[in-house]
Amino acid sequence: MRGTSSDNPVLALLGANALTLVFALALDWTAGMLLWPYCLQNLVVGWYAIKRMQALHRFSTEGFTSNDQPVPENAAGKRSTINFFILHFGLFHLAYLVFLCELAPMSGLLEFLFVLAGGVSFVFAQRATCAAQIEADASGRPNLGALMFMPYLRVLPIHIAIGFGAVALGTTGTIAFVVLKTLADIGLDRYDRHIAERAIADA
């Protein structure tokens, strides 16, 4: 998250995604196969985004509206935002899971274990990240709307991959998806850092 000046999260993200691509090409995984753990990871991100919003005590809703009305900076505003996010983000991924079951079904136990391992490992990683985010939020006044919209950055690679048929493009589709995923990961990191800086400035 926000470490020392020697930290380089962009290089770390590039390295992790490059390693994913190497394994995917070596094992002849399709983009569809990579979409499964990524979709599961998105659900983990969504779960911890809810935890993060629930933990907020001081927050801003500047520029954040619902039904053309400003969202109030109180418990009711936070609760309605979380409820909307659960419904909307959940329906998005339910639709993606339906598409994946039809377009890229898992072919056996090994692929299922790969997806499950990816999801479980991400839970532990994201739990630590969420704890750091909550601690950082407590020292500032983050924007509730920005926190709610942030997980949607991770939806874009899935949306584009399915919409443009990357699951059926073989190696080309796999490479294209990993590139999109890398850009989304970097964007999410930059956006989260921007939120943290704004939250401290507005405190």
Side-chain angles (χ1 to χ4, degrees), residues 107-202:
S107 60
L109 180 61
L110 184 61
E111 290 188 351
F112 173 76
L113 291 176
F114 163 72
V115 172
L116 184 62
V120 171
S121 64
F122 199 73
V123 167
F124 289 104
Q126 193 64 21
R127 182 168 61 182
T129 298
C130 184
Q133 289 171 332
I134 290 174
E135 182 180 355
D137 290 342
S139 64
R141 189 166 165 263
N143 187 285
L144 179 64
L147 293 187
M148 188 200 76
F149 284 114
M150 189 163 57
Y152 286 95
L153 284 172
R154 290 182 60 91
V155 170
L156 290 176
I158 296 179
H159 196 73
I160 295 172
I162 292 176
F164 286 89
V167 295
L169 294 180
T171 300
T172 302
T174 301
I175 295 172
F177 175 70
V178 173
V179 170
L180 287 171
K181 177 185 180 298
T182 303
L183 292 175
D185 287 343
I186 293 172
L188 190 65
D189 177 79
R190 292 285 179 87
Y191 191 32
D192 187 40
R193 289 170 184 272
H194 174 70
I195 290 173
E197 291 167 0
R198 283 289 306 273
I200 294 173
D202 295 341

Side-chain angles (χ1 to χ4, degrees), residues 41-50 89 122 126 151 154 188:
Q41 288 174 2
N42 283 6
L43 291 174
V44 174
V45 168
W47 170 258
Y48 281 108
I50 293 168
F89 198 75
F122 199 73
Q126 193 64 21
R154 290 182 60 91
L188 190 65

Side-chain angles (χ1 to χ4, degrees), residues 77-99:
K78 183 172 72 171
R79 184 169 56 251
S80 65
T81 299
I82 292 172
N83 289 339
F84 172 82
F85 176 78
I86 291 172
L87 178 64
H88 194 256
F89 198 75
L91 287 176
F92 252 118
H93 285 81
L94 178 61
Y96 290 143
L97 288 173
V98 170
F99 273 112

Side-chain angles (χ1 to χ4, degrees), residues 14-57:
L14 288 173
N17 283 291
L19 187 61
T20 298
L21 180 59
V22 169
F23 275 106
L25 295 178
L27 298 174
D28 199 27
W29 290 335
T30 65
M33 185 60 207
L34 289 177
L35 280 171
W36 277 105
Y38 190 64
C39 191
L40 186 59
Q41 288 174 2
N42 283 6
L43 291 174
V44 174
V45 168
W47 170 258
Y48 281 108
I50 293 168
K51 292 291 186 183
R52 184 178 182 181
M53 288 187 284
Q54 288 175 333
L56 290 175
H57 295 290

